[in-house]
Amino acid sequence: MKVAVVYESRTGNTAAVAEMIGAAVQELGHEVGVWNSRKVNLDYLTDADMVFLGTWTDGIIIGGHRPGDSGKLLDIPGIWGKPTAGFVTYALHAGNVIEKVGDVVKLLGGDWLGGRTFRRQRKADGLANFVVAAVDAAEERLGLAHS
Ligand SMILES: Cc1cc2nc3c(=O)[nH]c(=O)nc-3n(C[C@H](O)[C@H](O)[C@H](O)COP(=O)(O)O)c2cc1C
């Protein structure tokens, strides 16, 4: 598959997770490109089979959690029905931020696969399994599943 990883990041945590996801996808044998949402390669995105969309957690720690800079994510021209997994970094409490990333993905026209939060102090926790599960789910949606 051709996979696009698109993210927003202010202080580098989500950018780092995006690069780690990109490396894990490549390790599985897929083609991958990783971009900040404002610099995304539109030819590549248009061609991509699946997307990972990520950002940081904005809120007041105990509540009000929402995807950070979601307006910038919504500025992407579209995801055009592609299977899309979400990822979000946070410091202490992320609440239901992933569901709200799902809302962003749906507004962009993506096929929401679900997603995962990554605590900024432990970015690698669960990352490899998340990528394998998301890639498998995308292949299933695209009818590329193999036994
Ligand atoms: C304005 C603002 C609000 C934040 N609110 C929360 C929050 O409610 N819960 C939380 O766990 N982290 C919160 N954080 C921390 C960030 O989500 C966390 O540091 C994240 O990894 C930053 O990602 P970045 O380095 O890609 O910008 C907040 C950060 C900022 C700047």
Side-chain angles (χ1 to χ4, degrees), residues 1-5 45 47-53 79-86 105-106 108-114 133-144:
M1 285 198 299
K2 193 165 178 174
V3 180
V5 183
L45 182 62
D47 249 22
D49 298 301
M50 105 168 263
V51 176
F52 284 86
L53 190 75
I79 306 185
W80 309 291
K82 300 171 197 293
T84 302
V105 167
K106 289 170 203 162
L108 285 166
D111 177 11
W112 178 235
L113 297 173
V135 165
D136 278 357
E139 286 181 330
E140 194 146 316
R141 294 279 170 98
L142 294 167
L144 302 171

Side-chain angles (χ1 to χ4, degrees), residues 84-102:
T84 302
F87 61 99
V88 180
T89 66
Y90 69 103
L92 276 175
H93 295 293
N96 62 350
V97 71
I98 277 294
E99 285 166 37
K100 294 179 182 168
V101 172

Side-chain angles (χ1 to χ4, degrees), residues 55-68 70 88-101 103 117:
T55 190
W56 52 283
T57 302
D58 190 0
I60 51 166
I61 305 294
I62 53 158
H65 305 110
R66 58 186 181 269
S70 57
V88 180
T89 66
Y90 69 103
L92 276 175
H93 295 293
N96 62 350
V97 71
I98 277 294
E99 285 166 37
K100 294 179 182 168
V101 172
D103 295 340
T117 55

Side-chain angles (χ1 to χ4, degrees), residues 20-32 128 131:
M20 290 159 75
I21 289 172
V25 168
Q26 200 168 31
E27 197 137 305
L28 293 172
H30 301 283
E31 186 184 344
V32 67
V131 169

